[in-house]
Amino acid sequence: MFMCFCVVLFIFIIFFKAELPVDGIGFYAYMSTDEPDPRGHHTLVYDIIQTNLGQGYNKNTGVFTVPKAGLYSLTWSTRVACHLAHTTELVINDRILGSTYAYCGYNTVTGHVVATVSQGDVIFVRTHSTSPGQGAIKSNEFGRSAFSGFLIH
């Protein structure tokens, strides 16, 4: 009987392209346009949301508010223009957990952090406070500046 149910479910999913409910927490967003001249301590806002399971990411503020405590994988990428540089930081509440530095050419740099966080913690990416960078942070069809994360456990 169980086998019959599984076969029927499989056929239903394949032929009717039904989606199974997705359980979990994760987000992926990128900047729709360049950030022209972000000064020091500037929170980067990734306004195009592709995934937002758990509804923790806010496209207006650039902040991910942790909906469920646990171990998270967090990744951000920053693209800079030719002959310019930027340092970015991944911040959880008031604590810097990661940083990246991109320089020279149309470079993209990616940072990754795995961290244990509590429900309600806020996570965001910002420019460095004492080394604010120069010029635009780029984001277009040739390379996106992006921010993502998901609950591991």
Side-chain angles (χ1 to χ4, degrees):
M1 184 74 158
F2 179 73
M3 178 77 147
C4 182
F5 173 77
C6 290
V7 170
V8 170
L9 180 62
F10 176 75
I11 291 170
F12 181 79
I13 291 169
I14 297 299
F15 289 105
F16 297 103
K17 298 189 189 291
E19 293 186 26
L20 293 175
V22 177
D23 186 27
I25 296 171
F27 71 97
Y28 169 71
Y30 65 86
M31 292 179 180
S32 60
T33 60
D34 296 349
E35 180 68 48
D37 194 16
R39 300 294 177 186
H41 254 221
H42 176 80
T43 299
L44 300 177
V45 177
Y46 307 87
D47 59 322
I48 302 296
I49 296 175
Q50 295 296 309
T51 303
N52 198 9
L53 296 174
Q55 304 305 307
Y57 182 75
N58 184 321
K59 71 177 188 171
N60 299 309
T61 63
V63 174
F64 175 66
T65 302
V66 177
K68 180 181 177 184
L71 182 66
Y72 281 77
S73 173
L74 303 153
T75 304
W76 74 104
S77 61
T78 308
R79 184 169 171 251
V80 299
C82 190
H83 306 297
L84 300 175
H86 273 283
T87 297
T88 59
E89 304 169 327
L90 180 95
V91 180
I92 299 177
N93 297 322
D94 292 323
R95 191 173 64 147
I96 300 166
L97 255 62
S99 65
T100 62
Y101 178 75
Y103 173 73
C104 194
Y106 281 95
N107 266 345
T108 302
V109 64
T110 300
H112 184 249
V113 169
V114 175
T116 301
V117 293
S118 300
Q119 184 176 356
D121 284 352
V122 293
I123 304 172
F124 57 95
V125 177
R126 71 177 179 203
T127 55
H128 193 273
S129 59
T130 59
S131 178
Q134 308 159 348
I137 291 178
K138 307 293 283 179
S139 190
N140 56 40
E141 68 274 15
F142 302 111
R144 299 282 183 202
S145 289
F147 182 30
S148 64
F150 60 91
L151 175 65
I152 296 171
H153 182 67

